[in-house]
Structure formats: structure tokens, C-alpha cells
Amino acid sequence: LSILAFLGGLLGIGLGFGLQNIFQNFACGMILLFEKPVKIGDVVQLDGLMGKVDDIGFRASTIKTFDNESVIVPNSDLVTDTINNLTHGGDTSIRLHIPIGVAYGTDVNKVKETLIDIVENREEVMEEPPPKVVFTEHGDSALVFDLRAWVRSAEDRAKVKDRVREKIDEEFNRKGIEMPYPTRDVYLFFEDEEEKADQVKQLV
């Protein structure tokens, strides 16, 4: 009997540890169903994964990505991890950021006006709040700007970014706004003119 009791205790401990995650996910599923920090239909971002919540079960939930892939996520991840809920509270609008760099010497006002004109002509872009361009930094090889605009949904963000980038390339080429590329200055020192002439010939 002592041996059976000992083995039963070991079995109970093993089952307790084995079922711990199951009970944790079950409890988190109840929290999701009643507290509703995340609801079916919400667009969420978790660990680089973005998609729409398709189903919430007692143990796990299903997130359908915009590539039409169904990802099974344990409920504990939706409760304990940090999640970006892009549609929480019913407000689906979201701001997009498009960083863009131009060559040094470019007219800053010309760049800002061109970028604003591009996004204002997009029907997906909201008029309020209005789009704006922020001069963020003097980079190593470029003047860096951040184009900011509000769209009505997360689905519009990727589509608008693609179309706007195409238009930026077209308008910059048409207006002669130069895109940057990395540059480096190399200095060579020679002891005499003869050595200089030999090295130059080799480089050419």
C-alpha cells in the first residue's frame, strides 16, 4: 500500500505539471470570453504577427493573417503578453509612417509639399487629422523625413504604403529630387610623386 501510495503521488504530481498549461489556457480563455480585452473580429499584432481574431476557444484562439493563414495562439499568450489591438473600442483608424530620405542640398520645403500632395490625392487617406511631413534627422548620407497620414483601417495601411511609395518614386524622378546613396571619402597619402603616380595607375 505504501508503494502504491507513493506511485500514486508521483502520478498526481506528473499529471499536475502536465495539465498546468492546459488549465492556465482554460482560465485565460474564460478571461477573454468575459472580460473581452480581445474580441472576434479585432485586428491584433502579437510578436510580429498581424491578423484578425477569427475564433476564441477555451484553450486556444485562431488568428487569420492577411495572407489567409490561420495561426493557433494559446489563450495565455493573448492575456499575459503585450498585444497591439488595432481596433479596440471600435475605432479602426490607424496612422501610417513612411520614412523617406533625400540627398543633401535638396529643398526641404519642396520635399514636404511633394509628399503632402501625393497622400492628399489618395481616397483611403483621411482628411482629419490631416497628413503631415516631419523632418526627423540629418542622416549619414541623407535628409530623413517621416510622412504621416491616417487611414480608416489596418487593411488600408499596407495598400496605401505600396501605392504611395510608387508615387513618391515617380514624382521625385519627375521633379529632380535626388534619392540618397551611401558615400565615403577615401584619403591616400604618398611619400613622393613617383609613388603617387604608380598607385594612381594601379587604381585606374
Side-chain angles (χ1 to χ4, degrees), residues 56-87:
I56 297 177
F58 286 107
R59 188 191 64 82
S61 299
T62 304
I63 296 178
K64 180 163 287 188
T65 69
F66 296 130
D67 295 329
N68 200 31
E69 299 174 341
S70 295
V71 181
I72 309 301
V73 180
N75 288 332
S76 59
D77 291 349
L78 296 178
V79 173
T80 60
D81 292 351
T82 301
I83 300 175
N84 290 339
N85 191 336
L86 306 181
T87 55

Side-chain angles (χ1 to χ4, degrees), residues 105-120:
T106 306
D107 187 339
V108 171
N109 291 326
K110 183 178 181 181
V111 174
K112 288 187 173 183
E113 291 174 359
T114 302
L115 294 175
I116 291 296
D117 289 342
I118 290 173
V119 294
E120 282 183 340

Side-chain angles (χ1 to χ4, degrees), residues 83-102:
I83 300 175
N84 290 339
N85 191 336
L86 306 181
T87 55
H88 187 68
D91 185 5
T92 60
S93 62
I94 188 171
R95 186 168 72 172
L96 60 86
H97 295 259
I98 301 179
I100 187 73
V102 299

Side-chain angles (χ1 to χ4, degrees), residues 12-28 58-59 74 76:
I13 294 174
L15 288 174
F17 281 110
L19 297 175
Q20 182 179 3
N21 287 335
I22 295 177
F23 284 115
Q24 181 183 9
N25 287 319
F26 178 81
C28 291
F58 286 107
R59 188 191 64 82
S76 59

Side-chain angles (χ1 to χ4, degrees), residues 6-41:
F6 177 73
L7 293 177
L10 289 179
L11 181 61
I13 294 174
L15 288 174
F17 281 110
L19 297 175
Q20 182 179 3
N21 287 335
I22 295 177
F23 284 115
Q24 181 183 9
N25 287 319
F26 178 81
C28 291
M30 300 299 291
I31 293 175
L32 291 174
L33 291 174
F34 290 100
E35 188 175 322
K36 296 184 178 179
V38 176
K39 305 185 300 297
I40 294 177

Side-chain angles (χ1 to χ4, degrees), residues 33 69 96 138 151 169 171 196 202:
L33 291 174
E69 299 174 341
L96 60 86
H138 290 82
V151 293
D169 187 66
E171 288 297 310
K196 177 180 179 180
Q202 294 179 13

